[in-house]
Amino acid sequence: MCGIIGIIAKGRAIDSIYPGLIALQHRGQDSAGAVTYEQTFHLKKGQGLVTTVFNPKNITRLNGNIGIGHVRYPTIGPGGVEDAQPFVLTVPYGIALAHNGNLVNYFKLKKEIIEKNLRYLNSNCDAEVILNILSIELSKQDLSRFNPDILFDALKGVYEKLIGSFAVVCIVAGKGLLVFRDKNGIKPLVYAQNNGEYAFASESVALDMLGFSDFKDVKPGEAIFIDENKKLFSKQIYEGKKATCIFEYVYFARPDSVIDGIGVYEARLRLGEELGKECLKFNIKPDVVVPVPDTARGSAQMVAEVLRVKHREGLIKNRYIHRTFIMPTQEKRIEAVRMKLNVIRSEIKNKKVLLIDDSIVRGNTSKEIIGLIRSAGAKEVYYGVYSPPLKYPCVYGIDMQTRGEFIARNKSIEEIKESIGADILIYQTVEGLINGVGIGDRGFCTACFTGNYPTELNDEFMEEIETDRIKIKRA
Ligand code: SF4
């Protein structure tokens, strides 16, 4: 999972890209980068947070009114500096590209490109593969006179080759800004226009901060090109079945974002309401409902409302520690939980506490949190999770890609409860998840909960992805 932004502005694009990337920082903390165009590309990228990579000096040289930016969270490759995005190519046009997503057939495509001597690849990043395939498909077009249809026709070939999730922003040098979204729209991509300026981003929060409003979503399978005169061209490249990642609403996106017309905060409130109904079936009588901060706050409030018990902040988060889910190793995640969370004893001691969390992947973080609550003197600890048991790898860009890492894969709910040390464990149902997020909309990817993958996925692809992740996590 990564964050992308693309701007065609009146003034310097980087002046919007930089704050936009800060607004998207939660989507990836491994590397950051931006490229702008004015006569030539001006590129800066590196490892670390946006504020680490960019400084007043390098921002000064990123000239031009058109630009793209990226924050990275590695799901393919080890995530070294050579994998930082955007990538730049010079044939048949100068193209700079950044993407959010994960190609399921990345290893196959990479092998084909190398074996057929089509292009030299310098990274382990699937964005470089997308860029090269776009370049190869563009080279097949009649390039004697540029028009947006050349791009759209090339994209037909690109869509035929790519399997997986991709939301892409590109600069075509001297021509304009091109964006496209995979045929299922697994990854979000939103845009807005304001006074002759266009901005595209993974989440509406980035555009909100830049003063844009009236957001629209790039449709699944749609490509949009804004030329240098700020004229918009759009084409449906591929008709696919919408399958937006439901985990964006559960965990990943910021609560102040709107994805495909659904407010993330509102979705989390409804998820809490659905979980509250599940809790009623267990006939528990907690003294207090406490969210695992920050993601679970809205849901916990709704669970408390449904159960008619107090809602309190009993866990406080150190804001300067990054999200534990996206730490690369389990040891780092546990260490980060201890540094990240502390208890407010007065809200916990001698109480029956119902903790509300967004999800359980491996169970180690939940176990640590329950241990913290018990050590603060809780009488009983119940654990409510507002998503269903995670059992299946995500092959679309969230780093839970190996079958072995899910506690729910081979354990019953009773066994998970024992393993994490809860007195009672209550999960959301799949129906509750879909109803909570979508109010009846069924156009979601729910593969990590249900095993129903929206794209082609064979054993070979799955094994290649798993082998890569296992190798990297052991390194
Ligand atoms: S498998 Fe899960 S995390 Fe991955 S895209 Fe689908 S819903 Fe999102």
Side-chain angles (χ1 to χ4, degrees):
M1 189 70 75
C2 301
I4 53 169
I5 187 162
I7 306 267
I8 186 153
K10 281 186 179 153
R12 282 162 48 85
I14 192 65
D15 294 341
S16 300
I17 289 170
Y18 178 74
L21 286 179
I22 288 177
L24 297 174
Q25 186 76 83
H26 61 288
R27 298 185 68 85
Q29 299 155 1
D30 180 68
S31 72
V35 61
T36 57
Y37 179 80
E38 189 182 64
Q39 293 175 346
T40 61
F41 284 124
H42 308 286
L43 172 68
K44 175 63 194 169
K45 59 181 178 175
Q47 280 184 289
L49 302 177
V50 177
T51 47
T52 312
V53 173
F54 294 98
N55 59 46
K57 200 171 160 200
N58 60 40
I59 281 182
T60 307
R61 69 172 178 77
L62 296 177
N63 288 327
N65 73 330
I66 179 165
I68 59 175
H70 186 267
V71 285
R72 176 172 159 88
Y73 157 67
T75 48
I76 278 182
V81 69
E82 66 278 10
D83 296 343
Q85 300 184 41
F87 286 91
V88 176
L89 248 188
T90 53
V91 283
Y93 302 109
I95 311 171
L97 179 146
H99 109 116
N100 169 32
N102 211 48
L103 295 185
V104 168
N105 58 341
Y106 164 71
F107 294 99
K108 182 169 177 266
L109 292 172
K110 185 177 179 182
K111 200 166 154 213
E112 265 173 32
I113 290 173
I114 293 169
E115 281 182 359
K116 291 183 185 166
N117 267 330
L118 297 174
R119 289 285 196 280
Y120 167 74
L121 297 177
N122 195 42
S123 76
N124 291 301
C125 180
D126 52 357
E128 195 188 23
V129 164
I130 299 175
L131 174 58
N132 277 280
I133 290 175
L134 175 60
S135 154
I136 292 164
E137 292 300 320
L138 269 172
S139 302
K140 294 177 187 167
Q141 308 298 315
D142 173 6
L143 301 175
S144 54
R145 269 189 72 204
F146 178 83
N147 66 69
D149 283 333
I150 291 172
L151 299 173
F152 296 146
D153 288 344
L155 282 177
K156 281 184 198 150
V158 173
Y159 274 65
E160 271 160 28
K161 291 200 169 56
L162 306 186
I163 304 173
S165 68
F166 51 91
V168 179
V169 285
C170 311
I171 304 172
V172 184
K175 311 290 184 210
L177 184 69
L178 173 69
V179 305
F180 50 98
R181 191 175 177 195
D182 69 72
K183 63 183 178 189
N184 302 108
I186 297 172
K187 295 295 164 197
L189 188 55
V190 64
Y191 71 102
Q193 189 235 348
N194 187 12
N195 227 354
E197 299 194 322
Y198 281 92
F200 295 80
S202 298
E203 286 184 38
S204 61
V205 60
L207 308 186
D208 242 340
M209 294 205 165
L210 299 174
F212 289 89
S213 53
D214 294 331
F215 311 125
K216 291 184 183 154
D217 295 282
V218 178
K219 294 188 208 85
E222 184 187 23
I224 294 177
F225 178 68
I226 316 283
D227 73 10
E228 287 222 304
N229 299 317
K230 315 226 175 68
K231 189 165 177 210
L232 184 146
F233 302 83
S234 132
K235 184 137 191 183
Q236 194 64 37
I237 307 293
Y238 208 104
E239 290 290 345
K241 195 163 170 252
K242 180 176 164 282
T244 309
C245 170
I246 208 160
F247 208 63
E248 289 277 354
Y249 301 93
V250 169
Y251 172 79
F252 220 87
R254 269 178 55 158
D256 43 347
S257 282
V258 178
I259 297 174
D260 285 337
I262 300 174
V264 175
Y265 181 69
E266 287 93 324
R268 287 184 191 154
L269 290 180
R270 289 191 297 270
L271 286 168
E273 202 177 340
E274 294 291 331
L275 178 62
K277 291 182 206 159
E278 279 307 299
C279 292
L280 284 175
K281 296 179 192 164
F282 283 75
N283 210 17
I284 49 171
K285 304 248 177 304
D287 299 309
V288 65
V289 176
V290 170
V292 175
D294 287 322
T295 325
R297 284 221 167 89
S299 300
Q301 264 172 338
M302 290 307 290
V303 171
E305 269 184 37
V306 173
L307 298 183
R308 294 173 188 272
V309 295
K310 282 188 291 187
H311 164 260
R312 289 288 184 272
E313 296 289 336
L315 282 165
I316 295 300
K317 189 175 148 190
N318 180 335
R319 292 180 192 171
Y320 302 98
I321 305 294
H322 309 148
R323 297 177 91 166
T324 55
F325 182 82
I326 55 179
M327 294 277 170
T329 64
Q330 189 54 36
E331 289 72 31
K332 281 215 167 81
R333 278 189 286 268
I334 290 177
E335 202 181 296
V337 170
R338 292 205 189 106
M339 289 203 297
K340 187 171 89 169
L341 291 173
N342 196 21
V343 285
I344 300 179
R345 275 169 217 280
S346 58
E347 298 301 331
I348 303 293
K349 197 165 179 197
N350 293 327
K351 291 187 178 157
K352 289 184 272 179
V353 178
L354 171 55
L355 285 170
I356 302 297
D357 204 352
D358 49 71
S359 55
I360 301 178
V361 185
R362 304 158 191 88
N364 306 50
T365 306
S366 315
K367 191 174 171 180
E368 286 290 318
I369 292 169
I370 290 169
L372 259 180
I373 296 289
R374 287 204 192 280
S375 66
K379 269 201 294 199
E380 287 183 26
V381 186
Y382 315 134
Y383 213 75
V385 189
Y386 66 83
S387 63
L390 280 162
K391 292 184 182 170
Y392 303 91
C394 173
V395 293
Y396 304 124
I398 293 211
D399 195 12
M400 41 186 195
Q401 301 178 91
T402 57
R403 284 165 274 203
E405 65 192 289
F406 299 101
I407 191 170
R409 195 161 173 98
N410 299 312
K411 280 188 166 63
S412 67
I413 292 178
E414 189 60 23
E415 287 168 329
I416 301 169
K417 183 197 87 177
E418 292 299 320
S419 170
I420 64 174
D423 293 303
I424 290 175
L425 171 62
I426 306 163
Y427 271 109
Q428 182 80 271
T429 61
V430 172
E431 271 302 294
L433 172 74
I434 294 170
N435 285 337
V437 173
I439 342 166
D441 183 344
R442 293 291 187 266
F444 298 112
C445 172
T446 58
C448 47
F449 303 108
T450 59
N452 300 326
Y453 292 90
T455 68
E456 183 191 334
L457 177 65
N458 59 34
D459 290 346
E460 185 193 336
F461 295 157
M462 182 73 102
E463 265 160 40
E464 281 171 336
I465 292 169
E466 275 195 328
T467 310
D468 177 71
R469 290 329 286 168
I470 290 168
K471 201 167 74 193
I472 281 156
K473 282 176 181 173
R474 279 191 190 139

CSV table of all heavy atoms in Angstrom, one decimal, residues 73-109:
chain,number,residue,atom,x,y,z
A,73,TYR,N,5.3,2.0,0.8
A,73,TYR,CA,5.2,0.9,1.8
A,73,TYR,C,5.4,-0.4,1.0
A,73,TYR,O,4.7,-0.7,0.1
A,73,TYR,CB,3.7,1.0,2.3
A,73,TYR,CG,3.1,-0.2,3.0
A,73,TYR,CD1,3.6,-0.7,4.2
A,73,TYR,CD2,2.0,-0.8,2.4
A,73,TYR,CE1,3.0,-1.8,4.7
A,73,TYR,CE2,1.4,-1.9,3.0
A,73,TYR,CZ,1.9,-2.4,4.2
A,73,TYR,OH,1.2,-3.4,4.8
A,74,PRO,N,6.6,-1.0,1.3
A,74,PRO,CA,7.0,-2.1,0.4
A,74,PRO,C,6.2,-3.4,0.5
A,74,PRO,O,6.0,-3.9,1.6
A,74,PRO,CB,8.5,-2.4,0.7
A,74,PRO,CG,8.6,-1.9,2.1
A,74,PRO,CD,7.5,-0.9,2.4
A,75,THR,N,5.7,-3.9,-0.7
A,75,THR,CA,5.0,-5.2,-0.7
A,75,THR,C,5.6,-6.1,-1.7
A,75,THR,O,5.3,-7.3,-1.8
A,75,THR,CB,3.5,-5.0,-1.0
A,75,THR,OG1,3.4,-4.2,-2.1
A,75,THR,CG2,2.8,-4.5,0.2
A,76,ILE,N,6.6,-5.6,-2.5
A,76,ILE,CA,7.4,-6.4,-3.4
A,76,ILE,C,8.8,-5.9,-3.2
A,76,ILE,O,9.0,-4.7,-3.2
A,76,ILE,CB,6.9,-6.3,-4.9
A,76,ILE,CG1,5.7,-7.2,-5.1
A,76,ILE,CG2,8.0,-6.7,-5.8
A,76,ILE,CD1,5.2,-7.3,-6.5
A,77,GLY,N,9.8,-6.8,-3.1
A,77,GLY,CA,11.1,-6.4,-3.0
A,77,GLY,C,11.5,-5.9,-1.6
A,77,GLY,O,10.6,-5.7,-0.8
A,78,PRO,N,12.8,-5.7,-1.3
A,78,PRO,CA,13.2,-5.4,0.0
A,78,PRO,C,13.0,-3.9,0.4
A,78,PRO,O,13.1,-3.6,1.5
A,78,PRO,CB,14.7,-5.7,0.0
A,78,PRO,CG,15.1,-5.7,-1.4
A,78,PRO,CD,13.9,-6.0,-2.2
A,79,GLY,N,12.6,-3.1,-0.6
A,79,GLY,CA,12.3,-1.7,-0.2
A,79,GLY,C,13.5,-0.8,-0.1
A,79,GLY,O,13.5,0.1,0.8
A,80,GLY,N,14.6,-1.1,-0.8
A,80,GLY,CA,15.8,-0.3,-0.8
A,80,GLY,C,15.6,1.0,-1.5
A,80,GLY,O,14.5,1.2,-2.1
A,81,VAL,N,16.6,1.9,-1.5
A,81,VAL,CA,16.4,3.2,-2.2
A,81,VAL,C,16.1,3.1,-3.7
A,81,VAL,O,15.5,3.9,-4.3
A,81,VAL,CB,17.6,4.1,-1.8
A,81,VAL,CG1,18.9,3.6,-2.6
A,81,VAL,CG2,17.3,5.6,-2.2
A,82,GLU,N,16.7,2.0,-4.3
A,82,GLU,CA,16.5,1.8,-5.7
A,82,GLU,C,15.0,1.5,-6.0
A,82,GLU,O,14.6,1.6,-7.2
A,82,GLU,CB,17.4,0.8,-6.3
A,82,GLU,CG,17.2,-0.7,-5.9
A,82,GLU,CD,17.8,-1.0,-4.5
A,82,GLU,OE1,18.3,0.0,-3.9
A,82,GLU,OE2,17.9,-2.1,-4.1
A,83,ASP,N,14.2,1.2,-5.0
A,83,ASP,CA,12.8,0.9,-5.2
A,83,ASP,C,11.9,2.1,-5.0
A,83,ASP,O,10.7,2.0,-5.1
A,83,ASP,CB,12.3,-0.3,-4.3
A,83,ASP,CG,13.0,-1.6,-4.6
A,83,ASP,OD1,13.6,-1.7,-5.7
A,83,ASP,OD2,13.0,-2.5,-3.8
A,84,ALA,N,12.5,3.2,-4.5
A,84,ALA,CA,11.7,4.4,-4.2
A,84,ALA,C,11.1,4.9,-5.6
A,84,ALA,O,11.7,4.8,-6.6
A,84,ALA,CB,12.5,5.4,-3.6
A,85,GLN,N,9.9,5.4,-5.5
A,85,GLN,CA,9.2,6.0,-6.7
A,85,GLN,C,9.2,7.5,-6.5
A,85,GLN,O,9.4,8.0,-5.4
A,85,GLN,CB,7.8,5.4,-6.7
A,85,GLN,CG,7.7,3.9,-6.8
A,85,GLN,CD,6.3,3.4,-7.0
A,85,GLN,OE1,5.5,4.0,-7.7
A,85,GLN,NE2,6.0,2.3,-6.3
A,86,PRO,N,8.9,8.2,-7.6
A,86,PRO,CA,8.6,7.8,-9.0
A,86,PRO,C,9.8,7.3,-9.8
A,86,PRO,O,11.0,7.5,-9.4
A,86,PRO,CB,8.1,9.1,-9.7
A,86,PRO,CG,7.9,10.0,-8.5
A,86,PRO,CD,8.8,9.7,-7.5
A,87,PHE,N,9.5,6.6,-10.9
A,87,PHE,CA,10.5,6.2,-11.9
A,87,PHE,C,10.4,7.0,-13.1
A,87,PHE,O,9.3,7.5,-13.5
A,87,PHE,CB,10.3,4.7,-12.3
A,87,PHE,CG,10.7,3.8,-11.2
A,87,PHE,CD1,9.8,3.4,-10.2
A,87,PHE,CD2,12.0,3.3,-11.1
A,87,PHE,CE1,10.2,2.5,-9.2
A,87,PHE,CE2,12.4,2.5,-10.0
A,87,PHE,CZ,11.5,2.1,-9.1
A,88,VAL,N,11.5,7.2,-13.8
A,88,VAL,CA,11.5,8.0,-15.1
A,88,VAL,C,12.1,7.2,-16.2
A,88,VAL,O,13.1,6.5,-16.0
A,88,VAL,CB,12.4,9.3,-14.8
A,88,VAL,CG1,12.5,10.1,-16.1
A,88,VAL,CG2,11.7,10.1,-13.7
A,89,LEU,N,11.5,7.4,-17.4
A,89,LEU,CA,12.0,6.8,-18.6
A,89,LEU,C,12.0,7.8,-19.7
A,89,LEU,O,11.3,8.8,-19.7
A,89,LEU,CB,11.0,5.7,-19.1
A,89,LEU,CG,11.4,4.2,-19.0
A,89,LEU,CD1,10.3,3.4,-19.7
A,89,LEU,CD2,12.7,3.9,-19.7
A,90,THR,N,12.8,7.5,-20.8
A,90,THR,CA,12.9,8.6,-21.8
A,90,THR,C,12.4,8.2,-23.2
A,90,THR,O,12.4,9.0,-24.1
A,90,THR,CB,14.4,9.0,-22.0
A,90,THR,OG1,15.2,7.8,-22.2
A,90,THR,CG2,15.0,9.7,-20.8
A,91,VAL,N,11.9,7.0,-23.3
A,91,VAL,CA,11.4,6.5,-24.6
A,91,VAL,C,9.9,6.0,-24.5
A,91,VAL,O,9.6,5.4,-23.5
A,91,VAL,CB,12.2,5.4,-25.3
A,91,VAL,CG1,13.5,5.9,-25.8
A,91,VAL,CG2,12.5,4.3,-24.2
A,92,PRO,N,9.1,6.2,-25.5
A,92,PRO,CA,9.2,7.0,-26.7
A,92,PRO,C,9.0,8.5,-26.3
A,92,PRO,O,9.3,9.4,-27.1
A,92,PRO,CB,8.1,6.5,-27.6
A,92,PRO,CG,7.1,6.0,-26.7
A,92,PRO,CD,7.8,5.5,-25.5
A,93,TYR,N,8.4,8.8,-25.2
A,93,TYR,CA,8.4,10.1,-24.6
A,93,TYR,C,9.1,10.1,-23.3
A,93,TYR,O,9.2,9.0,-22.7
A,93,TYR,CB,6.9,10.6,-24.4
A,93,TYR,CG,6.0,10.6,-25.6
A,93,TYR,CD1,5.0,9.6,-25.7
A,93,TYR,CD2,6.2,11.5,-26.6
A,93,TYR,CE1,4.2,9.6,-26.8
A,93,TYR,CE2,5.3,11.5,-27.7
A,93,TYR,CZ,4.3,10.6,-27.8
A,93,TYR,OH,3.5,10.5,-28.8
A,94,GLY,N,9.4,11.2,-22.7
A,94,GLY,CA,9.8,11.2,-21.3
A,94,GLY,C,8.6,10.9,-20.5
A,94,GLY,O,7.5,11.5,-20.7
A,95,ILE,N,8.7,9.9,-19.7
A,95,ILE,CA,7.5,9.5,-18.8
A,95,ILE,C,8.0,9.3,-17.4
A,95,ILE,O,9.0,8.6,-17.2
A,95,ILE,CB,6.9,8.2,-19.3
A,95,ILE,CG1,6.6,8.2,-20.8
A,95,ILE,CG2,5.5,8.0,-18.5
A,95,ILE,CD1,6.1,6.8,-21.2
A,96,ALA,N,7.3,9.9,-16.5
A,96,ALA,CA,7.6,9.7,-15.0
A,96,ALA,C,6.4,9.0,-14.5
A,96,ALA,O,5.2,9.4,-14.8
A,96,ALA,CB,7.9,11.0,-14.3
A,97,LEU,N,6.5,8.0,-13.6
A,97,LEU,CA,5.4,7.2,-13.1
A,97,LEU,C,5.5,6.8,-11.7
A,97,LEU,O,6.6,6.5,-11.2
A,97,LEU,CB,5.3,6.0,-14.0
A,97,LEU,CG,4.1,5.0,-13.8
A,97,LEU,CD1,3.6,4.4,-15.1
A,97,LEU,CD2,4.5,3.9,-12.8
A,98,ALA,N,4.4,6.9,-11.0
A,98,ALA,CA,4.3,6.3,-9.6
A,98,ALA,C,3.0,5.6,-9.5
A,98,ALA,O,2.0,5.9,-10.2
A,98,ALA,CB,4.4,7.5,-8.6
A,99,HIS,N,3.0,4.5,-8.7
A,99,HIS,CA,1.8,3.8,-8.5
A,99,HIS,C,1.5,3.3,-7.1
A,99,HIS,O,2.5,3.1,-6.3
A,99,HIS,CB,1.7,2.6,-9.6
A,99,HIS,CG,1.9,1.2,-9.1
A,99,HIS,ND1,0.9,0.3,-9.2
A,99,HIS,CD2,2.9,0.6,-8.5
A,99,HIS,CE1,1.3,-0.8,-8.6
A,99,HIS,NE2,2.5,-0.7,-8.2
A,100,ASN,N,0.3,3.0,-6.8
A,100,ASN,CA,-0.1,2.4,-5.6
A,100,ASN,C,-0.8,1.1,-6.0
A,100,ASN,O,-1.8,1.1,-6.7
A,100,ASN,CB,-1.1,3.3,-4.9
A,100,ASN,CG,-1.8,2.6,-3.7
A,100,ASN,OD1,-1.2,1.7,-3.0
A,100,ASN,ND2,-3.0,3.0,-3.4
A,101,GLY,N,-0.3,0.0,-5.4
A,101,GLY,CA,-0.9,-1.3,-5.7
A,101,GLY,C,0.1,-2.4,-5.7
A,101,GLY,O,1.2,-2.3,-5.2
A,102,ASN,N,-0.3,-3.5,-6.3
A,102,ASN,CA,0.6,-4.7,-6.4
A,102,ASN,C,0.2,-5.5,-7.6
A,102,ASN,O,-0.9,-5.9,-7.7
A,102,ASN,CB,0.4,-5.5,-5.1
A,102,ASN,CG,1.7,-6.2,-4.7
A,102,ASN,OD1,2.7,-5.6,-4.6
A,102,ASN,ND2,1.6,-7.5,-4.4
A,103,LEU,N,1.2,-5.8,-8.4
A,103,LEU,CA,1.0,-6.6,-9.6
A,103,LEU,C,1.1,-8.1,-9.2
A,103,LEU,O,2.2,-8.5,-8.7
A,103,LEU,CB,1.9,-6.4,-10.7
A,103,LEU,CG,1.9,-5.0,-11.4
A,103,LEU,CD1,2.8,-4.9,-12.5
A,103,LEU,CD2,0.5,-4.6,-11.8
A,104,VAL,N,0.0,-8.8,-9.4
A,104,VAL,CA,0.0,-10.3,-9.0
A,104,VAL,C,1.0,-11.0,-9.9
A,104,VAL,O,1.7,-11.9,-9.4
A,104,VAL,CB,-1.4,-10.8,-9.1
A,104,VAL,CG1,-1.4,-12.3,-9.1
A,104,VAL,CG2,-2.3,-10.2,-8.1
A,105,ASN,N,1.1,-10.6,-11.2
A,105,ASN,CA,2.0,-11.3,-12.1
A,105,ASN,C,3.3,-10.6,-12.3
A,105,ASN,O,3.9,-10.6,-13.4
A,105,ASN,CB,1.3,-11.6,-13.4
A,105,ASN,CG,0.8,-10.3,-14.1
A,105,ASN,OD1,0.7,-9.2,-13.4
A,105,ASN,ND2,0.5,-10.3,-15.4
A,106,TYR,N,3.7,-9.8,-11.3
A,106,TYR,CA,5.0,-9.0,-11.4
A,106,TYR,C,6.2,-9.9,-11.8
A,106,TYR,O,6.9,-9.5,-12.7
A,106,TYR,CB,5.2,-8.3,-10.0
A,106,TYR,CG,6.6,-7.8,-9.9
A,106,TYR,CD1,7.1,-6.7,-10.6
A,106,TYR,CD2,7.6,-8.4,-9.0
A,106,TYR,CE1,8.4,-6.2,-10.5
A,106,TYR,CE2,8.8,-8.0,-8.9
A,106,TYR,CZ,9.2,-6.9,-9.6
A,106,TYR,OH,10.5,-6.4,-9.5
A,107,PHE,N,6.4,-11.0,-11.1
A,107,PHE,CA,7.6,-11.8,-11.4
A,107,PHE,C,7.6,-12.3,-12.8
A,107,PHE,O,8.6,-12.4,-13.5
A,107,PHE,CB,7.7,-12.9,-10.4
A,107,PHE,CG,8.0,-12.4,-9.0
A,107,PHE,CD1,6.9,-12.3,-8.1
A,107,PHE,CD2,9.2,-12.0,-8.6
A,107,PHE,CE1,7.2,-11.8,-6.8
A,107,PHE,CE2,9.5,-11.4,-7.3
A,107,PHE,CZ,8.4,-11.3,-6.4
A,108,LYS,N,6.4,-12.7,-13.3
A,108,LYS,CA,6.3,-13.2,-14.7
A,108,LYS,C,6.6,-12.1,-15.7
A,108,LYS,O,7.4,-12.3,-16.6
A,108,LYS,CB,4.9,-13.8,-14.9
A,108,LYS,CG,4.6,-14.4,-16.2
A,108,LYS,CD,3.3,-15.1,-16.2
A,108,LYS,CE,3.0,-15.7,-17.6
A,108,LYS,NZ,2.1,-14.8,-18.4
A,109,LEU,N,6.0,-10.9,-15.4
A,109,LEU,CA,6.2,-9.8,-16.4
A,109,LEU,C,7.7,-9.4,-16.4
A,109,LEU,O,8.3,-9.1,-17.4
A,109,LEU,CB,5.4,-8.6,-16.0
A,109,LEU,CG,3.8,-8.8,-16.1
A,109,LEU,CD1,3.1,-7.7,-15.5
A,109,LEU,CD2,3.5,-8.9,-17.6
